[in-house]
Amino acid sequence: MAAPIAERERTPAGTEFNPQIGVEISGIHFANPVLTASGTFGYGQEFARLIDLNQLGGIVVKGISAEPMEGNPPPRIYETEAGMLNAIGLQNVGARRFVEEKLPFLRGLRTRTIVNVFGYTTEDYVRAIEILNDGSGIDAYELNISCPNTRAGGMVYGNDPRLTAEVVAASKRAARRPLWVKLSPNVTDITELARAAESAGADALTLVNTFVGMAIDIETRTPRVSNVTAGLSGPAIKPVALRMVYQTARAVRVPVIGIGGIASAEDALEFIIAGASAVQIGTANFYAPDTALRVVEGIRAWCRSKRLNLSDVVGSIKIPPSAASPVS
Amino acid sequence: MAAPIAERERTPAGTEFNPQIGVEISGIHFANPVLTASGTFGYGQEFARLIDLNQLGGIVVKGISAEPMEGNPPPRIYETEAGMLNAIGLQNVGARRFVEEKLPFLRGLRTRTIVNVFGYTTEDYVRAIEILNDGSGIDAYELNISCPNTRAGGMVYGNDPRLTAEVVAASKRAARRPLWVKLSPNVTDITELARAAESAGADALTLVNTFVGMAIDIETRTPRVSNVTAGLSGPAIKPVALRMVYQTARAVRVPVIGIGGIASAEDALEFIIAGASAVQIGTANFYAPDTALRVVEGIRAWCRSKRLNLSDVVGSIKIPPSAASPVS
Amino acid sequence: MTRMYDEIVAVTENRPLTGGHFLLSLRAPRQAQATRPGQFAMVRLLGRSDVLLRRPMSVYDVSPTTRPPRAAGKRGANAHRQPEILQLLYKIVGRGTRLMAELRPGDSVGLAAPLGHGFFAEEYLEEARRADEVLLVTGGIGIAALLLPARELATAGIKSRLFFGGRTRADLVGVQDFESSVAGITLATEDGSKGHRGYVTEPLANYLERHRGRKFLLMVCGPWGMLRASAELAKRHGHACLVSMENRMGCGLGVCLGCSIRVEGTGHGAYERVCTEGPVFNAEHVIWAREEIPKI
Amino acid sequence: MTRMYDEIVAVTENRPLTGGHFLLSLRAPRQAQATRPGQFAMVRLLGRSDVLLRRPMSVYDVSPTTRPPRAAGKRGANAHRQPEILQLLYKIVGRGTRLMAELRPGDSVGLAAPLGHGFFAEEYLEEARRADEVLLVTGGIGIAALLLPARELATAGIKSRLFFGGRTRADLVGVQDFESSVAGITLATEDGSKGHRGYVTEPLANYLERHRGRKFLLMVCGPWGMLRASAELAKRHGHACLVSMENRMGCGLGVCLGCSIRVEGTGHGAYERVCTEGPVFNAEHVIWAREEIPKI
Ligand SMILES: Cc1cc2nc3c(=O)[nH]c(=O)nc-3n(C[C@H](O)[C@H](O)[C@H](O)COP(=O)(O)OP(=O)(O)OC[C@H]3O[C@@H](n4cnc5c(N)ncnc54)[C@H](O)[C@@H]3O)c2cc1C
Ligand SMILES: Cc1cc2nc3c(=O)[nH]c(=O)nc-3n(C[C@H](O)[C@H](O)[C@H](O)COP(=O)(O)OP(=O)(O)OC[C@H]3O[C@@H](n4cnc5c(N)ncnc54)[C@H](O)[C@@H]3O)c2cc1C
Ligand SMILES: Cc1cc2nc3c(=O)[nH]c(=O)nc-3n(C[C@H](O)[C@H](O)[C@H](O)COP(=O)(O)O)c2cc1C
Ligand SMILES: Cc1cc2nc3c(=O)[nH]c(=O)nc-3n(C[C@H](O)[C@H](O)[C@H](O)COP(=O)(O)O)c2cc1C
Ligand code: FES
Ligand code: FES
């Protein structure tokens, strides 16, 4: 698809180079590598009055479960240094109402629609996917495996390679669309989980979800968020997310989609250079809803100035020979 | 040691309450619960011209190995959002020169001296401790187990319960002083590592060390730090560090010392309320060398205003009954 | 959904008032013209990531120019001009508001407005028309949500009365701005430095007691205790009551679900978003149990 | 170790110069009085955690009052007064310096100074006395480290000469401040907009060539390429050369070991700290292999 590098290098430096920033992931073509992250963009419609949704590469909708869920009691969020904590509790309208009420709007867009799916048992996941299979206008599923498995004593799916493989394999069998798996960063070795998901049939991996954190009100000596612990997102987590994307991209063959604290095209390019085929914008949507569009434009401008297509950039990090151990 | 709460509550509200903020950890008494973290305070002397070192609860010196180490090539650090990355590579003068050249100064202080120790094999750790055993003026050792074990194929000691237990047990046998173990946060379940260290003989646990992160220069497409990956510290990590301290304090009986992004007395009190018996100040020393002293004063003032001794505050977090799962 | 605008706008004035309150004037014609009484804005401090999220602030006033609010009553010749300035009345309580206080003319902020449903969603306006008098009840910085409603009521020929409480007289900011719109003003301070000594819900209770038989609508914005006390008084006397709720907000746009509170008797599930279904709710639908209303 | 002071100090002026350069004046008598030529300061932006670390900045000038640097040469009656103002000459290159440029009189910054060993550590001063002339060589913002050395040399009666290069004429800030202290000034710009077109090391090479047999000491501060080129020229002609090195700094205080570069022929191990053993090093001790000098 991309013009061969040699050819581009022959085009005189003065002529405008029009970079290809489209990307194919799990058989779906995205006009650009910038998606909005699950839980930070509602069901898309909420942002229609703010930005041109058709300029996005894709929209990943808020996590959907088989049955509606009401979520956690307030307070659910808290601001931290360059980040935020959230424990929304996966409030959502359920797969059936999503298909009936939310999907028609998304179907009307040129932008790709990815549906984030979760459950507390493997059967939950499968059931949600089966309902969603009937909806039209969904391009792929993204499995959120950062949930505690109620059967496995609350052990988090995504923190255990065996549970990961189980839920991915079952979901893959059920899914009539490509299956992305969204990894939890709260693990010792992200590549172990990544390989487990890949072996079990994941068509792409997205990472990272939020880091489990906490904040305390010292006046009342109670947790700031009713759930006690909550997920940390935002610029604060970017360095760790980037490291995990870098490691994962080197450990698997399926495409990797990078997430975590991305607020600018420069941030996004770091993930892409580290090996991400695409990126997702999360928390930044809350305070700067035009972030994703600015990132698209910034990536295009950077590629143009470097005379590179996106595919030349993905994973193009150069590691100096002096660099020894992967640990600081 | 502390006056019983009932008695204090009888003292009329008008009279000045003088809180006890001393704490005993692994048999050592600290005049206050504020220490400076390893690698962020040199060998103490560097800060003597800036603050009164005798006002500190303790000083944890830069990590010491049996032999001197020269560290990583530059660049070794990079600033991130509300944090910094470092891959110093454990540059240090070695245990022998430390005892001869650095310890005499520290011995002259009223403040407690904790020596942070590391190695690449269990024998390295033991050898360093044996050399240090001969030095006088050391109050305790703090084992930095965030190093890759060169024998175990580079697997990080602190990320594996079996390796953790091995190095802690061997070090405990060698150590003629109390042994603290400093845990790595780059793990799926911090309590598993905490219990492994406790069972193997740790007298106290300090956490957290840095999170493995990364940054990329998009112009050169090379890592910002020569070592490729580097440790993230500073305010950005505070929510995750606090969560780990909270979980660990509930999982072990030995005292827990909290570290991670502490920049104010309020931050320190969050850790103490979550269960830390003491705290360490790291990155903040770099940009505000008076932080530790301000934290001491702030804790004292807070305890006074609440009419609480420090021991009443440690682990005094109130968890609302509504709070269900420990995962967001 | 009404039109909403999210833009970088310029500060034209940032005036310190008593008690750590400030009046921030922003050149934001589109936001100002679209705002309905009781709606709010999300304000972003630019160029920093340590204070990441935007802060919710009621739209206090909109005006054609940046005249002092004291003069805002006598609009005269200007009244037909479209507003260009949007004003926020805020109090320093933490890092974000402390930084807002440092804004100077010529600085910029991000501004998304108007947001939420105000006091005059259709069913509420109907309610107001049926009432003999609307009682505007507020404590502290809650006053910021009530100036535009007071004006709207005056314009619609509906009589209103302000009950305004604070800890001390320095908290009673903006009272003058209400004078031309309301039929009466009752003040209260906890320290007795101005008006009734105690909570403003005490004179409110007396007023309701003295005027049994009349039909009131309460519009309340203030701390949780005051909202609940007002809601109870309204219920006891059989009056309708609208409360403007607060909660921490991640986005203000309806997507993070961070601001949800449990609301009864509505079709939209157990939790509703303060930023989208609120901030104004029918007090009868709010569950007043402490654990359902966050101590934020 | 000389005395060092770490305090919150007030901005008295922040003057924009050409080419995105600024001259920041701080009321910092203790730091100003303790500073020796070539030492640096760590500057902290207060009240924010997103720009966490302090920024290293050479001390450009110290003066009794905050007079324009243009007048700094004719000190006259003031010369005996103790300096109260410490000045930093900086260029906007990233977030920290962009925020520094927004500082206004009355604002505060954190200031730790003086730090490091300057150009006149004992052995270096000896070297200077033995030289026929000291050549001050600099490119871009490196000029900030050389004004105090130029003055010190003049006071000590040692002749000096400035070689100053930039990309364009707007980069050649502060030249006037040197006029009264140096025997000659050679300028160069890459675009030829002022002085020699090209690198300043070209006229420097010519000068050394023309004055073979004389004994020079080079004091160099600038980008890595210029440091190395100057060091090579000095070595080829057998002159001593002092280079002020740069590196990212975590603390500036000698404790983080983040600023270490590999230095030969010293007793302190292979890596030395730019902030403590430097920033001025004997060029002969520096290992000029690219991988040992960070591209920061
Ligand atoms: C719909 C709505 C309208 C509001 N209108 C106004 C207004 O017109 N003027 C005004 O001064 N304030 C108003 N507030 C409150 C205002 O949003 C908070 O005071 C502000 O966000 C605090 O920011 P901070 O960074 O200064 O404080 P922080 O440091 O974040 O917190 C300081 C204190 O303020 C509380 N707080 C934080 N966020 C909120 C929040 N979203 N709502 C309420 N309290 C919060 C914190 O829990 C804490 O007690 C409104 C809030 C809402 C939800
Ligand atoms: C001893 C010493 C003295 C210095 N004196 C001056 C001076 O007098 N005037 C002046 O304008 N600058 C001086 N510098 C450079 C100055 O410290 C950097 O320009 C500044 O830290 C960049 O901060 P920033 O936040 O604007 O840039 P960042 O956003 O942090 O980075 C922008 C660019 O500056 C580079 N940079 C970052 N930190 C440093 C650093 N410590 N040293 C060099 N480059 C860096 C980055 O790699 C990047 O290329 C000095 C540096 C050192 C080490
Ligand atoms: C309020 C909120 C709600 C979220 N909900 C979901 C969700 O339903 N499913 C999911 O997989 N991730 C969810 N996430 C995680 C984000 O999609 C993203 O992985 C994470 O926030 C890191 O990216 P960021 O730093 O750009 O925000 C949520 C994040 C936030 C802040
Ligand atoms: C530059 C630097 C060097 C460090 N060196 C060590 C070390 O030698 N041994 C160790 O156990 N921890 C080391 N640490 C980790 C700190 O002691 C501390 O655990 C970590 O920085 C988190 O705390 P903070 O966020 O307050 O900095 C180092 C940290 C930094 C920033
Ligand atoms: S604040 Fe985000 S949904 Fe209301
Ligand atoms: S900057 Fe920290 S040791 Fe030099």
Side-chain angles (χ1 to χ4, degrees):
Chain A
M1 179 196 316
I5 296 191
E7 185 183 312
R8 267 175 289 132
E9 283 181 347
R10 276 199 310 272
T11 41
T15 55
E16 178 99 319
F17 168 67
N18 217 339
Q20 310 282 337
I21 65 164
V23 59
E24 188 164 309
I25 296 171
S26 64
I28 317 161
H29 183 260
F30 292 81
N32 65 64
V34 184
L35 292 72
T36 53
S38 178
T40 66
F41 210 71
Y43 302 112
Q45 192 153 15
E46 294 87 341
F47 278 81
R49 52 185 175 159
L50 284 171
I51 61 169
D52 179 1
L53 299 176
N54 282 318
Q55 303 300 315
L56 295 170
I59 295 172
V60 186
V61 300
K62 174 77 189 151
I64 301 287
S65 50
E67 303 302 327
M69 288 195 48
E70 69 164 14
N72 290 332
R76 294 175 168 188
I77 58 172
Y78 189 70
E79 186 181 76
T80 67
E81 302 288 320
M84 68 175 282
L85 290 167
N86 91 80
I88 305 304
L90 300 164
Q91 177 178 346
N92 81 97
V93 299
R96 228 170 290 273
R97 260 183 70 197
F98 169 76
V99 168
E100 285 159 20
E101 295 176 15
K102 309 291 178 184
L103 204 46
F105 172 81
L106 291 162
R107 206 155 46 221
L109 301 175
R110 257 186 286 122
T111 300
R112 296 299 184 182
T113 297
I114 316 297
V115 178
N116 184 275
V117 177
F118 75 94
Y120 290 103
T121 62
T122 300
E123 295 70 40
D124 286 350
Y125 282 94
V126 168
R127 208 144 37 85
I129 289 171
E130 283 167 352
I131 299 169
L132 293 165
N133 275 338
D134 294 337
S136 86
I138 298 174
D139 293 294
Y141 301 126
E142 178 182 79
L143 229 53
N144 173 3
I145 58 170
S146 299
C147 309
N149 178 322
T150 49
R151 289 254 189 72
M155 201 197 286
V156 176
Y157 271 104
N159 294 0
D160 182 273
R162 210 187 38 76
L163 286 174
T164 295
E166 173 195 310
V167 70
V168 172
S171 300
K172 177 70 186 171
R173 275 191 301 275
R176 277 200 239 122
R177 281 142 184 152
L179 185 73
W180 300 3
V181 177
K182 183 164 177 181
L183 301 181
S184 157
N186 302 290
V187 297
T188 307
D189 179 1
I190 191 79
T191 64
E192 186 187 10
L193 283 304
R195 279 187 301 257
E198 183 185 43
S199 307
D203 298 303
L205 300 176
T206 67
L207 59 154
V208 298
N209 213 314
T210 55
F211 290 78
V212 181
M214 184 172 180
I216 295 173
D217 180 342
I218 64 169
E219 287 311 308
T220 59
R221 289 189 262 161
T222 56
R224 290 278 190 185
V225 172
S226 74
N227 190 59
V228 183
T229 60
L232 182 67
S233 64
I237 68 170
K238 199 192 81 176
V240 186
L242 182 66
R243 182 264 298 178
M244 291 186 170
V245 165
Y246 167 73
Q247 291 177 327
T248 302
R250 307 193 138 208
V252 297
R253 280 169 313 273
V254 294
V256 170
I257 296 131
I259 326 174
I262 298 175
S264 68
E266 289 73 27
D267 293 339
L269 283 161
E270 283 190 76
F271 280 86
I272 293 168
I273 292 166
S277 298
V279 296
Q280 292 182 16
I281 313 294
T283 304
N285 294 312
F286 297 161
Y287 58 85
D290 61 345
T291 303
L293 298 192
R294 279 189 297 104
V295 171
V296 174
E297 275 326 298
I299 291 175
R300 200 192 312 276
W302 186 90
C303 285
R304 180 176 295 132
S305 77
K306 299 278 181 252
R307 306 182 79 78
L308 292 171
N309 289 321
L310 184 73
S311 54
D312 306 326
V313 184
V314 173
S316 65
I317 185 170
K318 299 166 215 156
I319 300 298
S322 67
S325 111
V327 175
S328 69
Chain B
M1 179 195 315
I5 295 191
E7 185 182 311
R8 266 176 289 132
E9 283 181 347
R10 277 201 309 272
T11 40
T15 54
E16 178 98 319
F17 168 68
N18 216 341
Q20 310 282 337
I21 65 164
V23 59
E24 189 165 308
I25 295 171
S26 64
I28 316 161
H29 182 261
F30 292 81
N32 65 64
V34 184
L35 292 72
T36 53
S38 177
T40 66
F41 210 71
Y43 301 112
Q45 193 153 14
E46 296 86 342
F47 278 81
R49 52 185 175 158
L50 285 171
I51 61 169
D52 178 1
L53 299 175
N54 282 318
Q55 303 299 315
L56 295 170
I59 295 172
V60 186
V61 300
K62 174 77 190 152
I64 301 287
S65 50
E67 303 302 326
M69 289 194 47
E70 68 164 14
N72 290 331
R76 294 176 168 188
I77 58 172
Y78 189 70
E79 186 181 77
T80 66
E81 302 287 320
M84 68 176 283
L85 291 167
N86 92 79
I88 305 303
L90 300 164
Q91 177 178 345
N92 79 96
V93 298
R96 230 170 290 273
R97 259 182 71 197
F98 169 75
V99 168
E100 284 160 21
E101 296 176 16
K102 309 290 178 184
L103 205 46
F105 171 81
L106 290 161
R107 206 155 45 221
L109 302 175
R110 256 185 287 124
T111 300
R112 297 299 185 182
T113 297
I114 316 296
V115 178
N116 184 277
V117 177
F118 75 93
Y120 291 104
T121 63
T122 299
E123 294 70 40
D124 286 349
Y125 282 94
V126 168
R127 207 144 38 83
I129 288 171
E130 282 167 351
I131 299 169
L132 293 166
N133 275 338
D134 294 336
S136 87
I138 298 174
D139 293 294
Y141 301 126
E142 180 182 78
L143 229 53
N144 173 4
I145 57 170
S146 299
C147 310
N149 179 321
T150 49
R151 291 253 190 72
M155 203 196 287
V156 175
Y157 271 105
N159 294 359
D160 181 272
R162 209 186 39 77
L163 287 175
T164 295
E166 172 194 310
V167 71
V168 172
S171 301
K172 178 70 186 172
R173 276 191 301 274
R176 277 200 239 121
R177 282 145 183 150
L179 185 73
W180 300 4
V181 177
K182 183 164 177 181
L183 301 180
S184 155
N186 301 292
V187 296
T188 307
D189 180 2
I190 191 78
T191 65
E192 186 186 10
L193 283 304
R195 279 187 301 256
E198 183 185 42
S199 307
D203 298 303
L205 300 176
T206 68
L207 59 153
V208 299
N209 213 314
T210 55
F211 290 78
V212 181
M214 185 173 179
I216 295 173
D217 180 342
I218 64 168
E219 287 311 309
T220 59
R221 288 189 262 163
T222 56
R224 290 277 191 185
V225 173
S226 74
N227 189 59
V228 183
T229 61
L232 182 66
S233 63
I237 70 170
K238 199 192 82 177
V240 186
L242 181 66
R243 183 266 297 179
M244 290 186 170
V245 165
Y246 166 74
Q247 292 178 326
T248 302
R250 306 194 138 208
V252 297
R253 281 169 311 273
V254 294
V256 170
I257 296 132
I259 326 175
I262 298 175
S264 68
E266 290 71 28
D267 293 339
L269 283 161
E270 283 190 77
F271 280 85
I272 293 167
I273 292 166
S277 298
V279 295
Q280 292 182 16
I281 312 294
T283 303
N285 294 313
F286 297 161
Y287 58 86
D290 62 344
T291 302
L293 298 191
R294 281 190 296 102
V295 170
V296 173
E297 274 327 299
I299 290 174
R300 200 192 311 276
W302 186 89
C303 285
R304 179 176 295 131
S305 76
K306 299 278 182 253
R307 306 183 77 78
L308 292 171
N309 288 322
L310 184 73
S311 55
D312 306 327
V313 184
V314 174
S316 65
I317 185 170
K318 299 166 215 156
I319 300 298
S322 67
S325 112
V327 175
S328 68
Chain C
M1 216 176 286
T2 56
R3 195 75 184 97
M4 179 274 266
Y5 304 90
D6 191 352
E7 295 167 317
I8 309 290
V9 302
V11 171
T12 62
E13 198 188 354
N14 193 16
R15 184 139 42 104
L17 308 175
T18 55
H21 293 80
F22 286 76
L23 184 68
L24 179 68
S25 299
L26 302 169
R27 185 168 304 286
R30 302 205 291 168
Q31 286 89 342
Q33 285 155 32
T35 298
R36 300 277 303 126
Q39 288 189 300
F40 70 98
M42 292 294 283
V43 181
R44 180 172 176 217
L45 295 161
L46 302 175
R48 58 192 305 149
S49 68
D50 51 352
V51 176
L52 199 66
L53 301 175
R54 305 202 269 200
R55 301 299 195 249
M57 292 285 156
S58 305
V59 177
Y60 179 61
D61 201 357
V62 298
S63 65
T65 63
T66 172
R67 284 163 310 131
R70 200 180 266 281
K74 21 184 169 78
R75 308 189 116 202
N78 278 336
H80 61 282
R81 276 176 49 201
Q82 290 289 316
E84 288 185 1
I85 303 292
L86 183 149
Q87 290 184 317
L88 306 172
L89 180 68
Y90 64 96
K91 183 184 167 128
I92 298 185
V93 298
R95 186 146 69 155
T97 45
R98 196 152 44 239
L99 289 166
M100 277 176 69
E102 289 175 15
L103 291 168
R104 303 177 224 196
D107 288 346
S108 297
V109 297
L111 185 75
L115 298 166
H117 290 99
F119 282 103
F120 297 100
E122 231 160 285
E123 67 271 31
Y124 301 159
L125 193 59
E126 211 32 62
E127 201 78 64
R129 286 191 203 291
R130 277 201 304 259
D132 296 317
E133 194 173 56
V134 174
L135 305 182
L136 303 166
V137 184
T138 181
I141 192 61
I143 192 74
L146 295 183
L147 182 63
L148 290 182
R151 289 247 190 76
E152 179 94 357
L153 291 166
T155 307
I158 301 169
K159 203 176 153 196
S160 74
R161 179 174 293 275
L162 177 69
F163 290 84
F164 183 10
R167 269 176 309 105
T168 182
R169 62 181 303 153
D171 292 339
L172 302 179
V173 292
V175 176
Q176 324 81 345
D177 301 337
F178 286 78
E179 282 165 3
S180 59
S181 304
V182 299
I185 297 181
T186 303
L187 302 177
T189 51
E190 288 171 41
D191 67 357
S193 55
K194 181 116 194 189
H196 169 81
R197 177 194 293 268
Y199 292 127
V200 78
T201 42
E202 292 152 11
L204 172 67
N206 289 339
Y207 189 83
L208 294 176
E209 202 61 52
R210 273 186 285 129
H211 298 90
R212 279 175 175 281
R214 290 180 66 187
K215 192 170 162 43
F216 295 113
L217 166 64
L218 277 67
M219 295 187 175
V220 196
C221 183
W224 179 79
M226 158 178 285
L227 294 179
R228 190 177 62 168
S230 304
E232 275 172 7
L233 283 171
K235 187 165 187 173
R236 189 174 333 137
H237 290 89
H239 304 306
C241 181
L242 302 176
V243 286
S244 183
M245 304 297 292
E246 284 205 6
N247 198 352
R248 284 189 212 133
M249 290 195 178
C251 66
L253 306 169
V255 297
C256 75
L257 308 184
C259 65
S260 298
I261 58 170
R262 195 181 285 272
V263 175
E264 267 175 357
T266 52
H268 206 280
Y271 281 110
E272 294 208 347
R273 297 163 296 183
V274 170
C275 71
T276 305
E277 283 80 44
V280 177
F281 290 92
N282 185 331
E284 299 227 327
H285 295 163
V286 174
I287 304 176
W288 292 101
R290 193 69 194 93
E291 55 282 6
E292 297 303 341
I293 311 289
K295 204 224 139 270
I296 44 179
Chain D
M1 214 177 286
T2 57
R3 195 76 184 96
M4 179 275 267
Y5 304 91
D6 191 352
E7 296 166 317
I8 308 292
V9 302
V11 172
T12 61
E13 197 188 356
N14 193 16
R15 185 141 41 106
L17 308 174
T18 54
H21 294 80
F22 286 77
L23 183 69
L24 179 68
S25 299
L26 302 169
R27 184 168 305 284
R30 303 206 291 169
Q31 285 89 344
Q33 285 155 33
T35 298
R36 301 277 303 127
Q39 287 188 301
F40 70 98
M42 292 295 282
V43 180
R44 180 171 177 220
L45 296 160
L46 302 175
R48 58 191 307 150
S49 68
D50 51 352
V51 176
L52 200 65
L53 301 174
R54 305 202 268 201
R55 301 299 196 248
M57 292 284 155
S58 305
V59 177
Y60 180 61
D61 201 357
V62 298
S63 65
T65 62
T66 171
R67 283 164 310 131
R70 199 180 268 281
K74 18 182 170 77
R75 306 190 117 206
N78 279 336
H80 61 282
R81 276 177 49 201
Q82 290 289 314
E84 288 185 1
I85 303 292
L86 183 150
Q87 292 184 315
L88 306 172
L89 180 68
Y90 64 96
K91 183 185 167 130
I92 299 185
V93 298
R95 186 146 70 155
T97 45
R98 195 150 47 237
L99 289 166
M100 278 177 68
E102 289 175 12
L103 291 168
R104 303 178 226 195
D107 288 346
S108 298
V109 296
L111 185 75
L115 297 167
H117 290 99
F119 282 103
F120 297 100
E122 232 160 286
E123 68 272 31
Y124 299 160
L125 193 58
E126 212 32 63
E127 202 77 66
R129 285 192 204 289
R130 279 200 304 260
D132 297 316
E133 194 173 59
V134 174
L135 305 183
L136 304 166
V137 184
T138 181
I141 192 61
I143 191 74
L146 294 182
L147 183 61
L148 290 182
R151 288 247 191 77
E152 180 93 356
L153 292 167
T155 306
I158 301 169
K159 201 175 155 198
S160 74
R161 182 174 290 275
L162 177 68
F163 290 85
F164 184 10
R167 268 176 311 105
T168 181
R169 62 180 303 153
D171 292 340
L172 302 179
V173 292
V175 176
Q176 324 82 344
D177 301 337
F178 285 79
E179 282 166 3
S180 60
S181 305
V182 299
I185 298 180
T186 303
L187 301 177
T189 51
E190 288 172 41
D191 66 358
S193 55
K194 180 117 193 186
H196 170 82
R197 178 195 292 268
Y199 292 128
V200 78
T201 42
E202 291 152 10
L204 173 66
N206 289 339
Y207 189 83
L208 293 176
E209 203 60 53
R210 274 185 286 131
H211 298 91
R212 279 175 176 281
R214 289 181 65 188
K215 192 170 162 42
F216 295 112
L217 166 64
L218 276 66
M219 295 188 176
V220 195
C221 183
W224 179 80
M226 157 178 288
L227 294 179
R228 190 177 62 168
S230 304
E232 276 172 6
L233 284 171
K235 187 166 188 172
R236 189 174 332 138
H237 290 89
H239 305 306
C241 181
L242 302 175
V243 286
S244 183
M245 304 296 292
E246 285 205 5
N247 198 352
R248 286 190 210 132
M249 291 195 177
C251 66
L253 307 169
V255 298
C256 75
L257 308 185
C259 65
S260 299
I261 57 170
R262 195 180 286 271
V263 175
E264 267 175 358
T266 53
H268 205 280
Y271 281 111
E272 294 208 347
R273 297 163 296 183
V274 170
C275 71
T276 305
E277 283 80 45
V280 177
F281 290 92
N282 185 332
E284 297 227 327
H285 296 163
V286 174
I287 303 176
W288 293 101
R290 194 68 193 93
E291 55 283 6
E292 298 302 340
I293 310 288
K295 203 225 138 269
I296 45 180

